[in-house]
Amino acid sequence: MALGDGGDHGAAAPLIADHEKYAGGGGIVRSGSSSSWVCWVLQHTALFGYGIAYTITASISCRAILKANCYHKHGHDAPCSYEGSYYMLVFGAAQLFLSFIPDFHDMAWLSVVAAVMSFSYAFIGLGLGMATTIANGTIKGSITGVPMRTPMQKIWRVSQAIGDIAFAYPYSLILLEIQDTLKSPPAENKTMKRASMISILVTTFFYLCCGCFGYAAFGSDAPGNLLTGFGFYEPYWLIDFANACIILHLLGGYQVYSQPIFQFADRFFAERFPDSGFVNDFHTVQLPCLPPWRVNLLRVCFRTVYVASTTAVAVAFPYFNEVLALLGALNFWPLAIYFPVEMYFIQRNVTRWSARWVVLQTFSVVCLLVSAFALVGSIEGLITQKLG
């Protein structure tokens, strides 16, 4: 996620606004077409989902810091347990405050902080995994993965793992928004092509290394989240630092994925109700020791409801792996495969039933089947966790 979240996230206009420019102004993604509206709904649903996932993850990291300190003080067998809902509410309160910061999307330093935090906890997880593997003197686990009681459970676990892998590349949700903030020359598409290649290579390297070394270190006992599952106990201060980096990253990442929704709501209601004072009027609020703050009642209400809803869903479904798998399965095929392939057909005037058309359509269909498999498995995992 380091570079996927690391662009200039300002001016995060909704995806539909850039469809014509991105696709050459026609065909499957022409503004106002049914396909563009489907893409818009999927994108904004995904953005909402990432807010839920980030709330869950931040809560887990908060509890991990407390557990690390508890285990260090009382021993590794101490009953160190902390309720996650409280920390989700704290994270939600912090996001509510951040949502009211004016021009938050123009803070270029946010990208730098997000990248630094990402690399920090990625390097720590990789280093701890390598160190533990070397200390063990052997590679734990097997090529067949974690054993399950029944073949069906193994199938469900594999499908959830595919969804988690698909979740690992969320930058497609905000790729066009990032592209819309770039200055040219050079051409935006050339800059984004280079940035996308670098980000994919870097994130793939870290995900594979952390995942493989984590499994090599702990085998079947490998935690779902390497830095919070407590295969690692010492040095506890390093675990605390890594999880603090995750929390800082998620505080900004939540806002990155929320800004497109906030800006769409502002624009939509302003156009629908141009004469409404509730929608368009700003009021100056003076707080002690702070500069004057301009407040819009619509923004206060909408953003409060939005943050509250993501927090409520996270509290109701606090299942890290299953929620990530569901989001990955839902969004990967339509946003990362189908629409880009259709845009490519239009831009390059690819002839139907040509060799290139058949290869890409086959690739799209295969990805659809894999995503559907992951979706079914993630839903089964959520239901099992909720009922269990």
Side-chain angles (χ1 to χ4, degrees), residues 162-226:
I162 293 174
D164 287 331
I165 294 172
F167 178 86
Y169 298 97
Y171 76 96
S172 61
L173 295 173
I174 56 173
L175 184 145
L176 294 182
E177 285 83 350
I178 296 173
Q179 178 175 317
D180 195 40
T181 68
L182 298 176
K183 296 180 180 180
S184 58
E188 296 171 351
N189 61 331
K190 292 182 179 180
T191 303
M192 286 306 300
K193 182 176 181 179
R194 184 165 177 252
S196 296
M197 289 293 293
I198 294 173
S199 66
I200 290 173
L201 290 175
V202 172
T203 52
T204 299
F205 169 79
F206 278 108
Y207 280 127
L208 283 177
C209 288
C210 290
C212 292
F213 277 108
Y215 187 58
F218 303 115
S220 298
D221 295 325
N225 188 330
L226 193 60

Side-chain angles (χ1 to χ4, degrees), residues 64-326:
I65 293 174
L66 296 173
K67 284 184 178 181
N69 296 333
C70 176
Y71 287 136
H72 176 74
K73 184 176 181 180
H74 301 290
H76 298 172
D77 295 326
C80 301
S81 180
Y82 300 91
E83 174 60 37
S85 300
Y86 171 77
Y87 300 101
M88 293 183 194
L89 296 175
V90 172
F91 184 80
Q95 291 302 334
L96 187 60
F97 171 77
L98 293 175
S99 297
F100 296 141
I101 294 179
D103 301 323
F104 189 92
H105 57 279
D106 290 331
M107 296 181 182
W109 57 265
L110 178 65
S111 299
V112 178
V113 172
V116 171
M117 294 300 101
S118 298
F119 279 114
S120 296
Y121 65 72
F123 273 117
I124 291 171
L126 174 58
L128 289 174
M130 292 178 63
T132 303
T133 302
I134 294 172
N136 291 338
T138 184
I139 296 177
K140 296 186 178 182
S142 68
I143 193 65
T144 58
V146 179
M148 305 299 293
R149 290 195 300 270
T150 66
M152 200 64 207
Q153 287 182 331
K154 184 69 172 180
I155 292 174
W156 293 135
R157 185 63 63 88
V158 170
S159 67
Q160 292 174 30
I162 293 174
D164 287 331
I165 294 172
F167 178 86
Y169 298 97
Y171 76 96
S172 61
L173 295 173
I174 56 173
L175 184 145
L176 294 182
E177 285 83 350
I178 296 173
Q179 178 175 317
D180 195 40
T181 68
L182 298 176
K183 296 180 180 180
S184 58
E188 296 171 351
N189 61 331
K190 292 182 179 180
T191 303
M192 286 306 300
K193 182 176 181 179
R194 184 165 177 252
S196 296
M197 289 293 293
I198 294 173
S199 66
I200 290 173
L201 290 175
V202 172
T203 52
T204 299
F205 169 79
F206 278 108
Y207 280 127
L208 283 177
C209 288
C210 290
C212 292
F213 277 108
Y215 187 58
F218 303 115
S220 298
D221 295 325
N225 188 330
L226 193 60
L227 291 169
T228 62
F230 284 91
F232 304 124
Y233 292 95
E234 300 292 344
Y236 79 99
W237 58 267
L238 189 60
I239 304 300
D240 288 352
F241 177 74
N243 281 288
C245 290
I246 294 175
I247 295 169
L248 287 175
H249 183 194
L250 296 177
L251 283 169
Y254 183 104
Q255 289 298 315
V256 167
Y257 287 113
S258 300
Q259 290 301 317
I261 296 179
F262 293 162
Q263 294 192 14
F264 167 77
D266 293 345
R267 185 170 57 253
F268 173 81
F269 287 108
E271 293 175 353
R272 178 64 70 88
F273 306 102
D275 300 323
S276 172
F278 176 79
V279 173
N280 298 293
D281 290 350
F282 285 81
H283 308 274
T284 301
V285 176
Q286 181 67 62
L287 297 177
C289 303
L290 293 175
W293 186 23
R294 300 182 70 227
V295 176
N296 175 268
L297 294 179
L298 171 67
R299 291 185 179 183
V300 171
C301 294
F302 179 84
R303 298 183 186 198
T304 299
V305 170
Y306 177 87
V307 173
S309 61
T310 59
T311 305
V313 175
V315 170
F317 297 94
Y319 313 119
F320 177 76
N321 279 349
E322 289 75 12
V323 170
L324 265 58
L326 178 63

